Amino acid sequence: MRNRFVIAALFLIPAMLFAFERHHAAYAQAAPCGGGHDRALVLSGGGAKGAFEAGAIYHLVYQRGCDFGDISGVSVGALNGSYLAQASEDVDSLANLKVAANRLVDFWEGITGPQEVLKPRFLGEVRFFLFGLDSFNDFDGLKDIIAAQIDPSKIRASKRKLRVGVTSFVDGAYHEIEPEDVTDDVFRKYILASTAIPVYAPLPEIDTTLDNGVRAKLQYADGGVSHATPVVGYFSPCNFSQLQLSVEALPSSDCAKTSKPHRPPLKQLFVVIANPYDPRSPNFGSPSTGSSPPTPVPGGSPILDQTINVLTSTSYRWDLNFAITANEMLRWRAKHFPQIDPAARPASDDFPIRSANPGPDGITLPYDMVIIGPPRPYSDVYGFDRANIQLQLHKGCVWADDAIVHAFHVASMQQACTAKFPISPAQLQAEADPVEP
């Protein structure tokens, strides 16, 4: 029975990515976010592109009234998510989250340049290749920011669930760390590790207990090295690398051991990415700025810089393709499950996909999922200049508004975005906002 469900579901995959747009537009309701906080916010990596996320977060939380009880992030998404998760759910959860969203915007608007985050090391590239220096840059500035502005004890007390994605530099394994798992200082190290792109940043060494009980210092790197958008875990605690066409899925008792499921109920997923995404296209967008045509990348360090930009701008596509497909498989199952004779129904765990949205008869349901992203990258990974940050805050807000308008059939709030994050007429001419319906 298990194989029949797996094979039937996998035959549907080619059509599911295209079906997403139809369902994405069908979540019409009076407001995008009803009462409560049974929804998750998923934040991608992208370095300086985190300013786009901050603008989108402001729109969702402050202008649309979306409260989030569950937050996941990698790289700069881990930093943004940790900032938000300090807002208490007690008394007035949404009001507290609005304050945090405002402070996150203030943080990004206060950045005056890359020197506040990183500092190039003297002859860093030469020393890296000739003498084994661990990275080109010193990230003490970012380390100080995390120490001063992220309080893990507040996150634990807030009652919001937060996960920070990191990649083990020993074996490449991806891990999601919660503040409940470790001490304050160690959790801050994991946030720093989640932002650490190898070669560009030093990799934090963290005391870790191995499976055999032995303690060891392991290096951890940017979570985006494995999963640039930490959305996969919202569909199952299973290790899907074990799911093949010709073999059975792992038994549920083993499957559940590979990671912790997210706290139900979660009915909505809002995924904010800092790079373009179109499920019908393999491209991640033009690296050119404005209307200028792209130019060849010169040799030397620009080649390495563009390598990082391409890697961090494309790896998230697998995560999103999988999430869309998994959600449509759940939608298919929810539609057909009631028609199956109860005596012939398989155990709920036989279906290869599960969610944190519980439904009747032990099955789990699809999410209302909205993906928010720009039409092109507005920055490279380390473009921490003030003018670019202001542009990204504006674009994050207006493109979040565009996604909400199309997903929920509500009125546009683009003018509110422009009032909050004004940009010059020249910028607006070079970077057109989405057309209001």
Side-chain angles (χ1 to χ4, degrees):
M1 179 67 73
R2 187 193 308 271
N3 272 340
R4 286 200 294 271
F5 263 90
V6 172
I7 294 171
L10 288 174
F11 270 118
L12 295 173
I13 288 175
M16 285 177 175
L17 291 178
F18 297 96
F20 170 70
E21 291 189 7
R22 182 183 70 253
H23 291 295
H24 179 67
Y27 302 143
Q29 57 188 59
C33 299
H37 45 260
D38 52 356
R39 62 188 57 85
L41 179 65
V42 185
L43 302 171
S44 78
K49 302 172 190 177
F52 178 93
E53 290 182 359
I57 290 166
Y58 180 87
H59 178 74
L60 293 175
V61 174
Y62 203 90
Q63 296 178 335
R64 295 290 183 178
C66 299
D67 197 1
F68 297 97
D70 189 290
I71 301 170
S72 293
V74 298
S75 193
V76 73
L79 179 62
N80 286 341
S82 297
Y83 218 107
L84 291 176
Q86 296 175 99
S88 174
E89 284 188 339
D90 291 334
V91 185
D92 193 337
S93 178
L94 178 57
N96 295 335
L97 195 63
K98 285 183 176 181
V99 171
N102 252 326
R103 288 177 176 170
L104 180 62
V105 168
D106 290 343
F107 161 71
W108 280 97
E109 288 183 329
I111 295 176
T112 60
Q115 72 280 355
E116 296 187 29
V117 177
L118 61 94
K119 180 181 179 182
R121 290 175 166 171
F122 177 69
L123 295 178
E125 295 179 30
V126 174
R127 293 164 63 199
F128 178 88
F129 288 109
L130 295 183
F131 303 107
L133 189 68
D134 61 350
S135 65
F136 293 168
N137 303 297
D138 182 320
F139 274 73
D140 284 348
L142 179 59
K143 184 177 180 180
D144 292 342
I145 288 171
I146 294 172
Q149 304 201 39
I150 304 300
D151 185 347
S153 65
K154 283 187 178 181
I155 299 173
R156 297 187 199 98
S158 77
K159 299 180 182 176
R160 299 185 199 274
K161 296 299 291 182
L162 172 69
R163 296 190 183 194
V164 168
V166 296
T167 302
S168 168
F169 210 58
V170 174
D171 57 8
Y174 176 75
H175 302 275
E176 291 186 341
I177 310 300
E178 300 180 27
E180 290 81 7
D181 297 335
V182 293
T183 65
D184 288 5
D185 288 342
V186 172
F187 189 71
R188 290 190 184 99
K189 281 187 177 181
Y190 276 117
I191 297 173
L192 184 64
S194 187
T195 67
I197 298 175
V199 178
Y200 280 82
L203 306 183
E205 294 183 358
I206 302 175
D207 283 325
T208 306
T209 301
L210 305 179
D211 292 340
N212 59 6
V214 174
R215 298 284 296 177
K217 276 188 177 292
L218 300 183
Q219 289 176 305
Y220 288 91
D222 191 331
V225 172
S226 299
H227 291 287
T229 304
V231 73
V232 174
Y234 286 93
F235 290 93
S236 178
C238 295
N239 177 1
F240 280 92
S241 65
Q242 302 298 319
L243 182 58
Q244 305 293 334
L245 281 170
S246 59
V247 299
E248 291 196 358
L250 286 173
S252 59
S253 59
D254 294 332
C255 184
K257 293 178 182 178
T258 59
S259 66
K260 292 180 287 186
H262 285 266
R263 179 184 68 182
L266 293 174
K267 300 184 183 301
Q268 293 178 311
L269 282 183
F270 287 81
V271 185
V272 183
I273 58 176
N275 293 287
Y277 173 71
D278 182 341
R280 300 163 299 183
S281 170
N283 300 326
F284 72 93
S286 169
S288 63
T289 57
S291 58
S292 302
T295 57
V297 179
S301 60
I303 289 286
L304 184 57
D305 292 341
Q306 182 63 1
T307 299
I308 296 298
N309 281 324
V310 171
L311 289 175
T312 58
S313 300
T314 55
S315 61
Y316 67 91
R317 293 187 55 82
W318 185 94
D319 298 316
L320 294 176
N321 287 346
F322 172 84
I324 290 171
T325 301
N327 210 43
E328 292 305 318
M329 289 173 71
L330 289 170
R331 196 178 307 283
W332 173 81
R333 195 264 295 265
K335 177 180 179 181
H336 294 286
F337 190 84
Q339 302 171 18
I340 301 175
D341 182 349
R345 288 177 183 173
S348 60
D349 279 344
D350 279 350
F351 198 74
I353 306 292
R354 291 184 291 281
S355 73
N357 185 11
D361 300 320
I363 71 169
T364 59
L365 302 176
Y367 303 103
D368 287 354
M369 186 166 65
V370 179
I371 297 175
I372 298 167
R376 73 163 190 85
Y378 292 114
S379 170
D380 61 21
V381 174
Y382 294 128
F384 290 97
D385 64 274
R386 191 167 231 167
N388 181 264
I389 287 173
Q390 190 63 28
L391 174 66
Q392 288 196 83
L393 288 168
H394 173 89
K395 294 299 183 180
C397 188
V398 297
W399 284 106
D401 175 72
D402 184 70
I404 293 296
V405 168
H406 285 88
F408 298 100
H409 306 294
V410 294
S412 173
M413 298 182 69
Q414 190 176 117
Q415 292 183 355
C417 288
T418 301
K420 174 64 178 177
F421 305 113
I423 58 174
S424 70
Q427 286 179 306
L428 189 57
Q429 184 176 4
E431 295 287 348
D433 285 343
V435 178
E436 295 186 68

